Amino acid sequence: MKYLEIEHLKKTYDDLTVLKDISLSVEAGEVVSVIGPSGSGKSTLLRCATMLETMDGGTLSYMGEKAAWEENGRCVYAPRHEIKQIRKNFGLVFQNFNLFPHYSVLKNITDAPITVAHVPRSNAENEAMALLRQFGLEDKAHAYPCQLSGGQQQRVSIARALALNPKILFFDEPTSALDPELTAEVLKVIKGLARKKMTMIIVTHEMQFAKEISDRIIFMEDGLIRQQGTPEELFGNPDERVKEFIGKFQA
């Protein structure tokens, strides 16, 4: 089943067209990595897919339900109550964690399930503690973000996204704010989710990680998908531009 479908997505800021014509779909259990140079539109793609940015053209669907489509040359969105339901299908992990600094780790994870999904507090806290145990952070439940390392903060951020039981997890450069040692602990968590067949779309600059974890890799440049395929196809038979890009990371 297609969990996500994007067709002919366009996004423009003033006179700059950031996404020119993007079409992709993601199946249940699939891990898709998005790579490409800075300014290629990777993060904007994620922000449009998660409705943090409005699209200027194209269609966006989750689980077969349309969230946005074109009418009379412009993009329109489903009614607010439908969008609220569609949003429950996905979670987003930011590159800079975006934890609430004045909330404990436990409250950061349980806040949305309690206030948005109306999960009973005891249930939400039990689920949060199970996630913290899974990520090796059980002893940090009552700590505050400022008391955690960057790697620990990002793991809490992933736990927070999972607490709402999304169908798809989006990651926007989840390790870009971390040093190599902390990067390894976050990538280990994401690999564990992949083994459990969590559907994920990951914008990353970690080439080896993308190669190991992905079912499919998309290379973006200048607001377009230039090449996509399995890791074997993309790394084994890249076109000249992809070969040049990957070479910079393998040098």
Side-chain angles (χ1 to χ4, degrees):
M1 180 184 184
K2 288 185 172 66
Y3 274 15
L4 169 68
E5 288 181 89
I6 294 172
E7 294 179 346
H8 306 299
L9 166 57
K10 298 176 184 69
K11 177 64 184 175
T12 301
Y13 296 102
D14 298 323
D15 295 329
L16 179 65
T17 302
V18 180
L19 298 175
K20 296 172 181 173
D21 186 359
I22 300 289
S23 296
L24 66 93
S25 63
V26 180
E27 304 276 346
E30 191 176 15
V31 178
V32 178
S33 291
V34 184
I35 63 172
S38 296
S40 58
K42 305 184 299 297
S43 290
T44 303
L45 170 61
L46 250 62
R47 292 181 68 82
C48 286
T50 56
M51 293 181 275
L52 292 174
E53 296 278 2
T54 54
M55 297 159 40
D56 293 316
T59 62
L60 171 67
S61 304
Y62 282 93
M63 318 299 291
E65 290 186 67
K66 278 193 177 178
W69 59 92
E70 273 192 60
E71 272 184 20
N72 301 319
R74 68 185 190 91
C75 224
V76 296
Y77 282 78
R80 186 173 294 183
H81 68 278
E82 290 182 24
I83 292 292
K84 187 176 179 182
Q85 290 302 311
I86 290 170
R87 283 184 185 276
K88 292 179 180 179
N89 289 310
F90 62 80
L92 175 59
V93 177
F94 299 90
Q95 52 185 300
N96 292 318
F97 325 134
N98 283 24
L99 297 174
F100 295 113
H102 55 295
Y103 285 0
S104 69
V105 164
L106 187 63
K107 187 168 171 57
N108 261 287
I109 297 172
T110 60
D111 187 58
I114 292 168
T115 60
V116 178
H118 307 297
V119 174
R121 181 177 298 276
S122 60
N123 292 17
E125 290 184 350
N126 287 340
E127 174 68 15
M129 290 307 297
L131 286 165
L132 289 172
R133 276 193 295 276
Q134 181 183 335
F135 295 168
L137 292 169
E138 188 178 8
D139 61 334
K140 302 295 184 184
H142 301 293
Y144 287 82
C146 64
Q147 298 171 304
L148 306 180
S149 70
Q152 290 169 333
Q153 288 187 59
Q154 192 60 296
R155 281 183 280 161
V156 172
S157 180
I158 295 169
R160 179 179 62 180
L162 288 169
L164 286 166
N165 295 308
K167 297 275 196 307
I168 304 176
L169 262 189
F170 291 91
F171 292 86
D172 186 9
E173 296 276 16
T175 60
S176 66
L178 305 175
D179 65 34
E181 188 174 347
L182 299 180
T183 291
E185 58 183 65
V186 172
L187 296 184
K188 182 180 177 184
V189 166
I190 299 173
K191 285 178 182 177
L193 294 174
R195 282 193 294 273
K196 294 181 178 179
K197 292 298 178 185
M198 181 77 204
T199 309
M200 294 185 282
I201 301 170
I202 307 166
V203 170
T204 184
H205 60 274
E206 301 282 344
M207 294 299 113
Q208 188 58 38
F209 169 69
K211 190 176 180 180
E212 289 174 15
I213 198 174
S214 307
D215 297 300
R216 181 157 46 102
I217 299 177
I218 290 170
F219 176 80
M220 284 183 65
E221 188 172 45
D222 296 329
L224 293 166
I225 293 174
R226 295 290 187 187
Q227 187 176 358
Q228 63 176 309
T230 65
E232 292 76 19
E233 289 167 343
L234 210 80
F235 283 85
N237 189 30
D239 68 21
E240 283 304 311
R241 179 63 188 103
V242 178
K243 186 176 181 180
E244 178 192 2
F245 177 78
I246 292 170
K248 290 177 181 175
F249 289 87
Q250 294 177 332

